[in-house]
Amino acid sequence: YFGQDLLSRVRLAPVERISNPGFFGSLPNLGVPVPWDFSAEPGLSVVDTIVMSRSLIAEDAWVSVLFEECVHIQQFQTLGVSRLVSRYVNTLFSNGFDYRNLPMEQQARELRMRFDAGLEAFSVEQVVETALLKGAI
């Protein structure tokens, strides 16, 4: 599913619960809705680090959540930080701050479902690159 290069870069940071960034509290005063509640999420990926919320992940779901978060790490690696953040933020604004419907989030969930279903192994890197070329993410 993932290349050795990606797997050697990934860092895992388990925490009891993921905290919301401090600036989220000021967003409504700026007329910007809070896009999501990090504390309700089982995982969060940034560049090469996956933060996983121990309190929100059932013992039998760790590998599944880790897989989905590794898809996001692959997206970071393929797009680069600037391009990923730019696409993510622009799409977030254009879809009414519904982050669950962002193409990168949808892709990660769909690939996780394929993984969970035990279907034939596939290259996440190839899937991400193909989607990028098609303008799907």
Side-chain angles (χ1 to χ4, degrees):
Y1 299 100
F2 300 100
Q4 187 59 43
D5 181 51
L6 180 130
L7 293 175
S8 67
R9 291 181 186 191
V10 172
R11 301 294 174 253
L12 185 59
V15 296
E16 192 56 33
R17 187 165 281 220
I18 301 168
S19 299
N20 284 317
F23 71 89
F24 268 26
S26 64
L27 291 178
N29 295 335
L30 299 171
V32 178
V34 175
W36 63 87
D37 180 6
F38 285 115
S39 68
E41 295 299 322
L44 170 71
S45 299
V46 180
V47 184
D48 64 354
T49 302
I50 300 170
V51 181
M52 298 196 43
S53 179
R54 288 189 288 258
S55 64
L56 295 179
I57 304 172
E59 194 171 310
D60 62 345
W62 272 81
V63 172
S64 183
V65 172
L66 184 59
F67 182 91
E68 183 172 336
E69 296 306 322
C70 280
V71 171
H72 290 304
I73 299 295
Q74 182 64 64
Q75 292 167 338
F76 268 107
Q77 187 169 312
T78 301
L79 286 132
V81 175
S82 307
R83 267 173 77 192
L84 184 136
V85 170
S86 175
R87 285 172 186 248
Y88 204 94
V89 170
N90 287 334
T91 308
L92 196 58
F93 274 92
S94 68
N95 84 349
F97 293 90
D98 183 4
Y99 99 97
R100 292 197 186 279
N101 285 321
L102 297 177
M104 284 180 258
E105 293 295 338
Q106 290 175 334
Q107 180 183 57
R109 276 194 312 277
E110 289 168 7
L111 294 179
R112 175 184 176 176
M113 287 189 286
R114 282 176 63 185
F115 172 76
D116 288 346
L119 303 176
E120 186 175 331
F122 54 92
S123 165
V124 171
E125 181 178 13
Q126 281 185 324
V127 172
V128 170
E129 287 176 354
T130 299
L132 182 60
L133 289 172
K134 291 180 177 181
I137 61 167

